[in-house]
Amino acid sequence: MTNEVAQDKSRQRLVLDQAAIEKAASQSLDDGAVTPGYGPWRDDIVQLLNGALATELVCVLRYKRHYYTAHGVSSPAIADEFLVHANEESAHADRIAERIVQLGGDPDFNPRTLQDRSHAGYDDSTELQAMVRANLIAERIAIESYRQMINLIGDKDPTTRRMLEEILSDEEEHADELKDWLGN
């Protein structure tokens, strides 16, 4: 027997288990898209997402403050970029909140605990370069947080992982833009 034939015989076929699919689909219909295949990780994923939601909301507030308070020769262009980033962070927050609800969780918008749950801090700098620097640090915190969440979730929830990967890509773009402004 050749090595190729031996590998074919030892290879496990990729075949769906139709009976298991139908069983999972018919259980707990009130859970909507969440089937038993989500396993014991759903609550942990919702908790991770609520941390990400808090981070995005704090980022929106920081960027908005910086947009309205930026002053200096370069401030109009940088302030406009702050507003673009604020709007994109707000869209991230919306996507995360929608996913939390889809997973059967409750998105936590409580302003009293928002800062404590956020991975990134708020900043009330008044100098333009300090604003850019604070936003760059916050973006780098978000990048590392999303990277860790993606690794933790792995194949446990592919939909959430893809969403986080898309948001991570936006955050990396924000960091690159801010790095360029920091040099100006």
Side-chain angles (χ1 to χ4, degrees):
M1 190 182 300
T2 68
N3 193 22
E4 188 176 308
V5 173
Q7 284 179 349
D8 269 352
K9 288 191 178 199
S10 67
R11 182 175 64 90
Q12 193 174 52
R13 294 197 34 112
L14 300 176
V15 178
L16 296 178
D17 181 345
Q18 188 64 32
I21 291 170
E22 291 173 9
K23 181 179 178 187
S26 64
Q27 293 175 347
S28 304
L29 295 178
D30 290 341
D31 289 340
V34 180
T35 64
Y38 279 82
W41 305 284
R42 182 173 64 169
D43 291 342
D44 291 340
I45 291 170
V46 167
Q47 185 174 352
L48 288 171
L49 291 175
N50 265 315
L53 175 62
T55 302
E56 295 292 348
L57 293 172
V58 168
C59 287
V60 169
L61 296 172
R62 187 186 57 257
Y63 274 123
K64 286 278 193 161
R65 182 187 189 287
H66 290 171
Y67 167 72
Y68 287 108
T69 61
H71 300 288
V73 175
S74 300
S75 67
I78 294 175
D80 287 346
E81 195 64 34
F82 289 161
L83 183 59
V84 168
H85 288 199
N87 292 334
E88 289 175 354
E89 304 296 358
S90 181
H92 295 163
D94 290 344
R95 289 183 68 194
I96 292 167
E98 288 170 358
R99 183 64 182 154
I100 290 169
V101 169
Q102 192 174 39
L103 290 171
D106 293 316
D108 189 348
F109 286 90
N110 187 338
R112 283 178 283 151
T113 61
L114 195 61
Q115 182 62 54
D116 292 336
R117 292 179 288 112
S118 174
H119 305 131
Y122 182 77
D123 177 76
D124 56 5
S125 296
T126 56
E127 194 269 319
L128 191 58
Q129 286 299 304
M131 291 177 186
V132 173
R133 181 176 168 73
N135 285 314
L136 178 56
I137 290 169
E139 292 293 353
R140 290 172 54 92
I141 288 170
I143 288 166
E144 185 58 27
S145 297
Y146 283 122
R147 189 177 315 283
Q148 287 186 24
M149 282 187 269
I150 289 163
N151 287 332
L152 286 170
I153 291 171
D155 63 355
K156 295 171 187 71
D157 180 353
T159 303
T160 298
R161 184 189 68 237
R162 276 192 307 278
M163 178 192 70
L164 294 175
E165 288 169 345
E166 291 167 3
I167 293 172
L168 172 60
S169 177
D170 290 345
E171 303 296 6
E172 289 173 340
E173 183 178 316
H174 293 171
D176 282 343
E177 292 165 355
L178 291 164
K179 175 190 63 81
D180 292 344
W181 284 112
L182 197 56
N184 291 340

